[in-house]
């Protein structure tokens, strides 16, 4: 919508200066327009476009934010802001600006194209960092670390020739090292690793069989509370959760918690399992235990999860009390 007549006159003068390439004079006129009526987003948007032409990106960002403040539904404001932030190498902020704009107009081609290009740019930069890190790990003799770094890079950009070339150097050395390491494993350790391999392939029943054999062997050897046993219990609990065997989850998590009472993962997993078998008070107790622990120990995602569970479980327990 057009603004005040005087503001529109300043805008028209600014547009003439813009077309003539006199961007500083155009900025001055757009500023005069905003002084008369700051609620017309086009004035701020045009000003931001001028700042882009003379590579003054801090000022462009400020004008773009004022544009959005004037009208949150003016999509071009988000594009201007994203452009400024990209030029300032604030890629995270740029992505947020684009997502905010797409929330207003999900089909906007400029925003969609810029977000796609930026995502590709970020992915390329991340892959390049992984490859550089892999080179450093190879030079320091960290073959296992180099292989894991390349696996992360491959998930981002499968088929990348630089990754494949590095993998050709790293993988043979890693496989040789792994073969030597596995040759020295105990039978119980072998079962644990076979369980891990099966879990990664989503073969949960097979994984459970191997974890169970690992635990049986450790129990016979008097090592039922060893670190290896705790890992096997924890991993088997994860398998049981995948197949909705909540009693199995509870049993394995309890075994872990008897040795390590503040194991956050076991507490959260057991709480979820208790809820699954409708033992809501027990679930609530585990959740409260987690939330009473230091934030740094629990972690943001677990705190958020447990807060949601606590509200849901508390409501359920109250409803059950009322029903009785």
């Amino acid at each position: 919508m057009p603004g005040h007549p005087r503001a529109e006159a300043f805008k028209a003068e600014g547009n003439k200066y813009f077309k003539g390439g006199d961007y500083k004079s155009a900025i001055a006129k757009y500023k005069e327009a905003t002084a008369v009526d700051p609620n017309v987003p086009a004035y701020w948007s045009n000003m931001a476009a001028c700042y882009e032409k003379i590579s003054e990106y801090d000022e462009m960002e400020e004008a773009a934010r004022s544009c959005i403040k004037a009208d949150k539904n003016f999509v071009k404001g988000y594009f201007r802001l994203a452009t400024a932030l990209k030029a300032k190498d604030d890629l995270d902020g740029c992505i947020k600006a684009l997502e905010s704009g797409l929330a207003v107009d999900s089909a906007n081609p400029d925003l969609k194209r810029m977000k796609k290009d930026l995502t590709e740019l970020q992915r390329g930069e991340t892959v390049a960092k992984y490859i550089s890190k892999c080179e450093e790990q190879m030079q320091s003799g960290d073959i296992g670390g180099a292989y894991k770094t390349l696996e992360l890079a491959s998930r981002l950009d499968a088929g990348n020739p630089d990754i494949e070339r590095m993998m050709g150097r790293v993988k043979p050395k890693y496989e040789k090292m792994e073969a030597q390491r596995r040759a020295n494993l105990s039978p119980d350790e072998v079962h644990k690793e076979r369980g891990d391999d099966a879990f990664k392939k989503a073969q949960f029943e097979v994984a459970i069989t191997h974890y169970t054999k690992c635990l049986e062997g450790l129990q016979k050897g008097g090592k039922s509370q060893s670190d290896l046993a705790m890992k096997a219990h924890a991993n088997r609990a994860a398998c049981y959760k995948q197949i909705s065997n909540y009693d199995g989850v509870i049993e394995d998590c309890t075994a872990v918690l008897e040795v390590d009472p503040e194991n956050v993962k076991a507490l959260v997993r057991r709480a979820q399992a208790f809820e699954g078998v409708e033992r809501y008070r027990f679930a609530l107790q585990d959740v409260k235990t987690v939330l009473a622990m230091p934030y740094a120990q629990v972690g943001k995602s677990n705190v958020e999860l447990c807060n949601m569970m606590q509200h849901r479980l508390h409501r359920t327990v109250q409803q059950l009390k009322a029903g009785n």
Side-chain angles (χ1 to χ4, degrees):
M1 249 181 106
H4 190 280
R6 281 183 58 225
E8 284 295 298
F10 286 131
K11 176 192 172 189
E13 290 183 63
N15 290 349
K16 288 180 182 179
Y17 282 124
F18 184 90
K19 289 176 182 177
D22 187 353
Y23 303 116
K24 290 190 176 181
S25 295
I27 288 169
K29 290 301 176 182
Y30 294 137
K31 282 185 175 179
E32 288 186 79
T34 60
V36 175
D37 189 349
N39 297 315
V40 178
Y43 305 158
W44 297 106
S45 177
N46 290 3
M47 190 191 305
C50 291
Y51 282 124
E52 181 183 6
K53 290 291 186 181
I54 58 177
S55 302
E56 293 185 2
Y57 297 112
D58 287 335
E59 291 78 4
M60 183 184 182
E61 178 187 351
E62 186 177 347
R65 292 191 184 281
S66 295
C67 177
I68 294 168
K69 184 178 179 181
D71 185 352
K72 292 182 179 179
N73 293 318
F74 191 79
V75 177
K76 191 173 286 186
Y78 298 100
F79 183 77
R80 301 288 191 211
L81 177 58
T83 301
L85 293 172
K86 182 181 178 183
K88 293 173 66 175
D89 203 28
D90 182 0
L91 299 187
D92 289 339
C94 180
I95 287 284
K96 288 179 182 177
L98 292 169
E99 288 175 344
S100 296
L102 287 167
V104 176
D105 181 3
S106 61
N108 185 276
D110 292 330
L111 295 176
K112 288 173 71 176
R113 182 173 58 254
M114 190 175 183
K115 185 179 180 184
K116 181 182 178 182
D117 292 344
L118 197 64
T119 302
E120 288 295 320
L121 176 63
Q122 283 187 310
R123 184 169 67 173
E125 289 181 349
T126 303
V127 168
K129 287 178 183 177
Y130 277 139
I131 291 174
S132 178
K133 181 180 179 181
C134 178
E135 289 277 11
E136 294 174 2
Q137 290 170 318
M138 285 287 285
Q139 290 176 7
S140 66
D142 184 7
I143 306 300
Y147 184 77
K148 289 178 181 177
T149 297
L150 283 179
E151 282 192 320
L152 290 173
S154 295
R155 290 173 196 167
L156 286 176
D157 194 3
N160 181 297
D162 292 329
I163 297 173
E164 291 184 346
R165 185 168 54 253
M166 283 295 295
M167 189 63 85
R169 290 172 50 199
V170 175
K171 191 173 182 179
K173 294 180 180 180
Y174 175 76
E175 289 179 342
K176 182 179 179 181
M177 182 184 75
E178 272 293 284
Q180 292 173 343
R181 185 186 67 81
R182 293 199 176 210
N184 295 320
L185 293 177
S186 69
D188 300 330
E189 290 171 326
V190 169
H191 279 303
K192 192 266 181 186
E193 295 218 349
R194 287 178 179 171
D196 294 346
D197 291 340
F199 183 87
K200 290 174 185 175
K201 297 174 184 175
Q203 298 172 347
F204 303 118
E205 298 283 2
V206 174
I208 288 168
T209 299
H210 283 297
Y211 291 135
T212 300
K213 287 181 179 179
C214 170
L215 289 165
E216 288 172 350
L218 290 170
Q219 188 173 16
K220 288 179 183 177
K223 299 177 181 178
S224 59
Q225 293 190 341
S226 64
D227 287 343
L228 181 61
M230 295 303 99
K231 290 175 182 176
H233 276 300
N235 292 3
R236 190 171 67 175
C239 292
Y240 281 139
K241 182 182 175 184
Q242 290 292 334
I243 61 175
S244 300
N245 182 342
Y246 298 121
D247 289 330
V249 175
I250 292 167
E251 184 178 346
D252 274 328
C253 288
T254 299
V256 172
L257 291 166
E258 285 174 353
V259 177
D260 181 9
E262 294 190 349
N263 189 298
V264 175
K265 190 176 288 186
L267 283 165
V268 172
R269 206 171 266 160
R270 190 172 71 172
Q272 292 171 323
F274 275 137
E275 185 177 15
V277 294
E278 299 181 2
R279 296 168 70 181
Y280 302 116
R281 289 181 177 83
F282 288 101
L284 187 57
Q285 183 58 53
D286 278 348
V287 165
K288 287 181 176 179
T289 299
V290 173
L291 291 174
M293 295 163 66
Y295 184 92
Q297 181 180 347
V298 176
K300 180 183 177 182
S301 59
N302 282 324
V303 168
E304 291 175 350
L305 173 62
C306 287
N307 272 322
M308 287 191 294
M309 288 185 68
Q310 179 174 234
H311 291 307
R312 183 172 67 245
L313 290 165
H314 182 74
R315 186 169 60 248
T316 302
V317 169
Q318 292 303 313
Q319 288 172 349
L320 289 172
K321 284 182 179 179
N324 293 333

